[in-house]
Amino acid sequence: MLTHIRPVAAVTGALVLAASLTACGGSSAASDEKVVTVYSADGLKGEAGDGWYDKVFADFEKRTGIKVKYVEGGSGEMVQRALREKSNTQADVLVTLPPFIQQAGSKGLLQAYAPQGSDRVDGADKAADGTWTSIVNNYFGFIHNKKELPEAPKSWEELLDARYKDRLQYSTPGVAGDGTAVLIKAMHDFGGQAPAMEYLKKLQANNVGPSSSTSKLAPKVDKGELLVANGDVQMNFAQSKSMPNLGIWFPAKGDGKPTTFALPYAAGLVNKAPHGENGRKLLDFLLSEGAQREVSAVGGGFPAREDVKPTDANAVALAGLLEGVEVFEPDWADIDENLTAYVDAWKSATGS
């Protein structure tokens, strides 16, 4: 199911600061309103109003006079909400993680639009049909409580130890993007669906239970209610600024190398968006060089544009986290096609 290994590029180089907006045509009268509605997976908005979204949305509103209405939830939850509203569309821009952005495209929720700057985004990080483009690159990971568990576990197998009973939790596959990522990584590391489900069945003895949103797990880890949880590098790195006990790590299979895979925040213009012109303007702004430079400095993530190579302290620290970690590329087409079957297998294995 999972294919070739792709190395992580070093986060170095210089940046030329520039930002541009282009007015694009809209067809509905609603597009004249000074508002744009964003449905997004959680992680890019700060707990204290200091996240990347907080900064770029404020800058966008100041630049254009267009107010951003923001709705947040789990990746699958946001797609399902947009799907329920398909006959009466409310959102203009949808931001979610793989494989849910592919799912949104296959269900006809997105329309083709290539934002300014999308030509600088790697082909693997955008849809071939132009329906979505990554705006923040990111990687799947786990977190641990550095105070109670100073040394992070090294392997999946360690998590089966009795010390983790009721002190371990991961978000729900099929609902949360990072929860679905647990399945994807387990199937890669264990070599297929059957051995992955066999492992996750054993892990269930230590698992606290379901969680629809991954971001809710970090505070529990920081407080010591949990020793270990799943997450992603961008979100957890940003959270660690106010949650000092969070440590980021990547499980390995046995004594092998730790692995991860890219889990970008991908954005698309919603089909029949009520404020489509404003949605296009926002997508252009999110991929502008100025906004992309702040992905690491403000948001703790990785720029989606390959020509934006920040050298701020966060960028250096983020690159360091991935040193020695093998990055694989999932077969997203397979996952999109078989996601329901994989989630059903997980439910059967774990009794969830």
Side-chain angles (χ1 to χ4, degrees):
M1 182 193 76
L2 302 159
T3 57
H4 62 278
I5 303 300
R6 186 171 65 177
V8 179
V11 185
T12 57
L15 168 72
V16 177
L17 177 63
S20 63
L21 289 172
T22 297
C24 302
S27 56
S28 68
S31 65
D32 294 332
E33 296 179 50
K34 289 289 189 178
V35 65
V36 60
T37 299
V38 177
Y39 284 8
S40 179
D42 48 8
L44 293 176
K45 190 170 175 58
E47 299 284 338
D50 55 355
W52 186 67
Y53 271 164
D54 301 286
K55 178 67 165 61
V56 296
F57 287 170
D59 290 346
F60 176 73
E61 184 171 348
K62 183 178 180 181
R63 180 75 65 87
T64 65
I66 298 170
K67 180 175 177 60
V68 178
K69 290 187 176 180
Y70 179 70
V71 179
E72 178 182 280
S75 289
E77 179 186 357
M78 289 295 92
V79 172
Q80 288 303 311
R81 177 167 177 167
L83 190 60
R84 289 195 302 270
E85 297 170 351
K86 197 172 181 180
S87 61
N88 182 28
T89 308
Q90 302 297 308
D92 301 301
V93 172
L94 177 66
V95 183
T96 188
L97 306 180
F100 296 100
I101 194 66
Q102 288 91 343
Q103 186 182 82
S106 65
K107 292 182 180 297
L109 293 177
L110 306 175
Q111 58 178 296
Y113 178 65
Q116 289 189 12
S118 62
D119 59 320
R120 303 301 182 94
V121 175
D122 184 85
D125 296 326
K126 57 188 176 185
D129 63 1
T131 51
W132 57 266
T133 305
S134 297
I135 55 171
V136 173
N137 276 342
N138 191 18
Y139 296 89
F140 176 64
F142 276 71
I143 48 176
H144 68 106
N145 181 292
K146 294 192 294 185
K147 185 176 180 181
E148 294 193 39
L149 193 67
E151 185 174 343
K154 291 184 173 59
S155 69
W156 287 103
E157 288 82 358
E158 285 185 54
L159 299 181
L160 299 176
D161 191 275
R163 72 181 298 188
Y164 296 104
K165 184 172 178 57
D166 296 330
R167 306 290 299 280
L168 175 152
Q169 190 174 17
Y170 61 91
S171 51
T172 307
V175 176
D178 290 323
T180 306
V182 172
L183 285 187
I184 294 170
K185 179 171 156 56
M187 286 191 288
H188 170 269
D189 289 1
F190 285 90
Q193 177 182 321
M197 299 309 161
E198 182 181 349
Y199 168 80
L200 292 171
K201 180 179 181 178
K202 295 176 183 176
L203 185 66
Q204 194 66 11
N206 289 343
N207 187 19
V208 170
S211 174
S212 63
S213 176
T214 313
S215 65
K216 296 176 182 177
L217 302 181
K220 296 180 181 180
V221 174
D222 183 61
K223 294 173 185 175
E225 295 174 24
L226 298 173
L227 290 177
V228 169
N230 69 313
D232 61 69
V233 173
Q234 176 278 324
M235 178 174 64
N236 296 143
F237 187 87
Q239 289 172 319
S240 69
K241 301 301 181 182
S242 59
M243 302 179 193
N245 293 322
L246 293 187
I248 298 171
W249 66 287
F250 306 92
K253 169 68 171 65
D255 58 0
K257 290 184 66 173
T259 69
T260 188
F261 62 96
L263 201 62
Y265 292 90
L269 185 66
V270 177
N271 196 20
K272 299 180 182 177
H275 311 97
E277 181 179 348
N278 297 342
R280 294 182 184 93
K281 289 180 179 180
L282 179 61
L283 288 169
D284 288 348
F285 192 78
L286 295 174
L287 273 179
S288 67
E289 288 190 35
Q292 286 289 298
R293 180 176 63 86
E294 293 176 327
V295 167
S296 58
V298 176
F302 305 81
R305 287 179 55 153
E306 293 183 308
D307 61 328
V308 175
K309 303 181 184 298
T311 57
D312 59 87
N314 283 355
V316 174
L318 287 162
L321 282 173
L322 293 170
E323 287 183 7
V325 180
E326 185 179 272
V327 180
F328 65 90
E329 185 174 323
D331 183 343
W332 291 115
D334 171 84
I335 294 164
D336 182 37
E337 181 180 352
N338 297 297
L339 178 60
T340 299
Y342 294 147
V343 172
D344 286 346
W346 170 80
K347 289 178 180 177
S348 177
T350 60
S352 299

